Amino acid sequence: MSTPEQEIEYRQHRFSPPPGSTEIFLVRHGESAPARGDDPFELVDGQADPDLAPDGRDHARRVGERLAGERIDAIYVTTLRRTVQTAAPLAEKLGLTPVVEPDLREIHLGDWENGLFRKYTADGHPIVDRLWAEQRWDVIPGAESDEAFGARLRGALTRIAAAHPGQRIAVFTHGGVVGEVFAQASRSVERFAFLGADNGSISHLVVHGDNWIVRRFNDTAHLAAPLG
């Protein structure tokens, strides 16, 4: 006696990275030290280079714990020490030496470097209103142009992806960088749509040739932060 054929089931699609693509976890550095008018930050190539604040060191520890169980093939940092300090716990756990990628450093704020951006934002400087209305960093006097900023980030991530096909990379970088990268990846019409990634947050990008695929943005589960 024949039995009925088993019915074929079609499950929902589950994402998997395209063959040869590179998964990149972009980690915003932990909270950095506060700016004080009487104690300016050291500068690296004209950019402020503060240490991590105590809370920032806790962010670094939590990031290390979160990513230590993942397959991470390489770690990248920028020329600014807050990224190096944030990467240190994970690098120690995995036994990896971070690679410095200068082109993933933060947007250069020109005349508003060395803590002045924080001060003028808190003070309600009129150029801050222009910055958000026009969604351009270069309304700040002497600041890096948005086009130059976007091009150097795309160049850096393209080089990293080409060096690590089929691998998973942790990139410790900056809030402005995360915002610009995800605006490009999502083809957002608003350049600042992804500004505001939290200190110590993890965002996840898959790079496959010229195609950038967004997988997650501003993941803070490891920070025990409330939703908000």
Side-chain angles (χ1 to χ4, degrees), residues 21-39:
S21 62
T22 305
E23 292 185 75
I24 300 177
F25 297 102
L26 289 117
V27 182
R28 187 185 179 195
H29 61 79
E31 183 180 347
S32 57
R36 296 183 175 90
D38 60 349
D39 187 19

mmCIF file of all heavy atoms in Angstrom, residues 21-39:
data_model
loop_
_atom_site.group_PDB
_atom_site.id
_atom_site.type_symbol
_atom_site.label_atom_id
_atom_site.label_comp_id
_atom_site.label_asym_id
_atom_site.label_seq_id
_atom_site.Cartn_x
_atom_site.Cartn_y
_atom_site.Cartn_z
ATOM 1 N N SER A 21 31.968 37.879 1.136
ATOM 2 C CA SER A 21 31.717 39.191 1.740
ATOM 3 C C SER A 21 32.455 39.294 3.077
ATOM 4 O O SER A 21 32.953 38.310 3.625
ATOM 5 C CB SER A 21 30.218 39.404 1.951
ATOM 6 O OG SER A 21 29.692 38.440 2.846
ATOM 7 N N THR A 22 32.499 40.492 3.612
ATOM 8 C CA THR A 22 33.165 40.762 4.887
ATOM 9 C C THR A 22 32.147 41.337 5.864
ATOM 10 O O THR A 22 31.467 42.313 5.537
ATOM 11 C CB THR A 22 34.319 41.761 4.714
ATOM 12 O OG1 THR A 22 35.216 41.264 3.712
ATOM 13 C CG2 THR A 22 35.075 41.961 6.017
ATOM 14 N N GLU A 23 32.056 40.722 7.030
ATOM 15 C CA GLU A 23 31.196 41.270 8.080
ATOM 16 C C GLU A 23 32.027 42.212 8.945
ATOM 17 O O GLU A 23 33.101 41.840 9.426
ATOM 18 C CB GLU A 23 30.615 40.157 8.943
ATOM 19 C CG GLU A 23 29.624 39.261 8.228
ATOM 20 C CD GLU A 23 28.999 38.270 9.184
ATOM 21 O OE1 GLU A 23 28.132 38.672 9.984
ATOM 22 O OE2 GLU A 23 29.410 37.092 9.156
ATOM 23 N N ILE A 24 31.524 43.408 9.132
ATOM 24 C CA ILE A 24 32.246 44.420 9.897
ATOM 25 C C ILE A 24 31.378 44.890 11.055
ATOM 26 O O ILE A 24 30.254 45.363 10.848
ATOM 27 C CB ILE A 24 32.638 45.613 9.002
ATOM 28 C CG1 ILE A 24 33.538 45.139 7.849
ATOM 29 C CG2 ILE A 24 33.343 46.693 9.836
ATOM 30 C CD1 ILE A 24 33.923 46.231 6.877
ATOM 31 N N PHE A 25 31.890 44.716 12.271
ATOM 32 C CA PHE A 25 31.233 45.248 13.460
ATOM 33 C C PHE A 25 31.876 46.606 13.773
ATOM 34 O O PHE A 25 33.048 46.658 14.150
ATOM 35 C CB PHE A 25 31.402 44.304 14.646
ATOM 36 C CG PHE A 25 30.766 42.957 14.446
ATOM 37 C CD1 PHE A 25 31.527 41.849 14.115
ATOM 38 C CD2 PHE A 25 29.399 42.801 14.583
ATOM 39 C CE1 PHE A 25 30.941 40.611 13.927
ATOM 40 C CE2 PHE A 25 28.796 41.562 14.398
ATOM 41 C CZ PHE A 25 29.575 40.464 14.067
ATOM 42 N N LEU A 26 31.119 47.667 13.597
ATOM 43 C CA LEU A 26 31.619 49.005 13.904
ATOM 44 C C LEU A 26 31.239 49.342 15.342
ATOM 45 O O LEU A 26 30.052 49.420 15.678
ATOM 46 C CB LEU A 26 31.034 50.038 12.945
ATOM 47 C CG LEU A 26 31.574 49.926 11.513
ATOM 48 C CD1 LEU A 26 30.452 49.591 10.558
ATOM 49 C CD2 LEU A 26 32.261 51.205 11.105
ATOM 50 N N VAL A 27 32.253 49.514 16.177
ATOM 51 C CA VAL A 27 32.044 49.781 17.598
ATOM 52 C C VAL A 27 32.390 51.244 17.866
ATOM 53 O O VAL A 27 33.525 51.676 17.607
ATOM 54 C CB VAL A 27 32.929 48.870 18.471
ATOM 55 C CG1 VAL A 27 32.664 49.132 19.960
ATOM 56 C CG2 VAL A 27 32.697 47.401 18.122
ATOM 57 N N ARG A 28 31.412 51.994 18.369
ATOM 58 C CA ARG A 28 31.755 53.349 18.777
ATOM 59 C C ARG A 28 32.532 53.272 20.085
ATOM 60 O O ARG A 28 32.181 52.497 20.993
ATOM 61 C CB ARG A 28 30.517 54.218 18.983
ATOM 62 C CG ARG A 28 30.920 55.676 19.245
ATOM 63 C CD ARG A 28 29.757 56.578 19.571
ATOM 64 N NE ARG A 28 30.263 57.926 19.831
ATOM 65 C CZ ARG A 28 29.574 58.889 20.410
ATOM 66 N NH1 ARG A 28 28.325 58.670 20.792
ATOM 67 N NH2 ARG A 28 30.114 60.073 20.613
ATOM 68 N N HIS A 29 33.594 54.055 20.195
ATOM 69 C CA HIS A 29 34.431 54.041 21.385
ATOM 70 C C HIS A 29 33.605 54.344 22.638
ATOM 71 O O HIS A 29 32.529 54.948 22.568
ATOM 72 C CB HIS A 29 35.561 55.055 21.257
ATOM 73 C CG HIS A 29 35.072 56.471 21.102
ATOM 74 N ND1 HIS A 29 34.636 57.229 22.170
ATOM 75 C CD2 HIS A 29 34.941 57.246 19.999
ATOM 76 C CE1 HIS A 29 34.256 58.419 21.742
ATOM 77 N NE2 HIS A 29 34.430 58.448 20.421
ATOM 78 N N GLY A 30 34.124 53.937 23.791
ATOM 79 C CA GLY A 30 33.483 54.271 25.051
ATOM 80 C C GLY A 30 33.497 55.773 25.301
ATOM 81 O O GLY A 30 34.200 56.535 24.624
ATOM 82 N N GLU A 31 32.718 56.180 26.301
ATOM 83 C CA GLU A 31 32.630 57.613 26.597
ATOM 84 C C GLU A 31 34.010 58.183 26.908
ATOM 85 O O GLU A 31 34.777 57.610 27.685
ATOM 86 C CB GLU A 31 31.701 57.847 27.783
ATOM 87 C CG GLU A 31 31.513 59.320 28.108
ATOM 88 C CD GLU A 31 30.591 59.563 29.280
ATOM 89 O OE1 GLU A 31 29.898 58.620 29.709
ATOM 90 O OE2 GLU A 31 30.574 60.706 29.788
ATOM 91 N N SER A 32 34.306 59.323 26.289
ATOM 92 C CA SER A 32 35.610 59.954 26.502
ATOM 93 C C SER A 32 35.524 61.008 27.600
ATOM 94 O O SER A 32 34.443 61.418 28.029
ATOM 95 C CB SER A 32 36.134 60.565 25.203
ATOM 96 O OG SER A 32 35.230 61.504 24.680
ATOM 97 N N ALA A 33 36.690 61.448 28.048
ATOM 98 C CA ALA A 33 36.777 62.399 29.159
ATOM 99 C C ALA A 33 36.069 63.700 28.799
ATOM 100 O O ALA A 33 36.042 64.109 27.637
ATOM 101 C CB ALA A 33 38.244 62.673 29.483
ATOM 102 N N PRO A 34 35.500 64.375 29.795
ATOM 103 C CA PRO A 34 34.830 65.644 29.517
ATOM 104 C C PRO A 34 35.823 66.726 29.116
ATOM 105 O O PRO A 34 36.986 66.706 29.525
ATOM 106 C CB PRO A 34 34.149 65.981 30.847
ATOM 107 C CG PRO A 34 34.947 65.262 31.881
ATOM 108 C CD PRO A 34 35.418 64.007 31.219
ATOM 109 N N ALA A 35 35.337 67.659 28.310
ATOM 110 C CA ALA A 35 36.166 68.803 27.908
ATOM 111 C C ALA A 35 36.122 69.869 28.994
ATOM 112 O O ALA A 35 35.067 70.159 29.554
ATOM 113 C CB ALA A 35 35.655 69.368 26.592
ATOM 114 N N ARG A 36 37.289 70.438 29.284
ATOM 115 C CA ARG A 36 37.382 71.529 30.264
ATOM 116 C C ARG A 36 38.209 72.653 29.643
ATOM 117 O O ARG A 36 39.278 72.416 29.087
ATOM 118 C CB ARG A 36 38.048 71.053 31.559
ATOM 119 C CG ARG A 36 37.261 69.982 32.300
ATOM 120 C CD ARG A 36 37.941 69.615 33.620
ATOM 121 N NE ARG A 36 37.160 68.675 34.403
ATOM 122 C CZ ARG A 36 37.273 67.347 34.299
ATOM 123 N NH1 ARG A 36 38.144 66.830 33.442
ATOM 124 N NH2 ARG A 36 36.525 66.564 35.041
ATOM 125 N N GLY A 37 37.700 73.872 29.775
ATOM 126 C CA GLY A 37 38.358 74.998 29.145
ATOM 127 C C GLY A 37 39.771 75.233 29.622
ATOM 128 O O GLY A 37 40.630 75.701 28.862
ATOM 129 N N ASP A 38 40.037 74.884 30.890
ATOM 130 C CA ASP A 38 41.364 75.144 31.439
ATOM 131 C C ASP A 38 42.312 73.957 31.279
ATOM 132 O O ASP A 38 43.444 73.997 31.736
ATOM 133 C CB ASP A 38 41.257 75.516 32.924
ATOM 134 C CG ASP A 38 40.617 74.405 33.763
ATOM 135 O OD1 ASP A 38 40.068 73.452 33.163
ATOM 136 O OD2 ASP A 38 40.644 74.510 35.003
ATOM 137 N N ASP A 39 41.843 72.891 30.636
ATOM 138 C CA ASP A 39 42.673 71.696 30.476
ATOM 139 C C ASP A 39 42.395 71.081 29.108
ATOM 140 O O ASP A 39 41.743 70.037 29.003
ATOM 141 C CB ASP A 39 42.362 70.692 31.595
ATOM 142 C CG ASP A 39 43.309 69.493 31.579
ATOM 143 O OD1 ASP A 39 44.394 69.597 30.977
ATOM 144 O OD2 ASP A 39 42.940 68.452 32.169
#
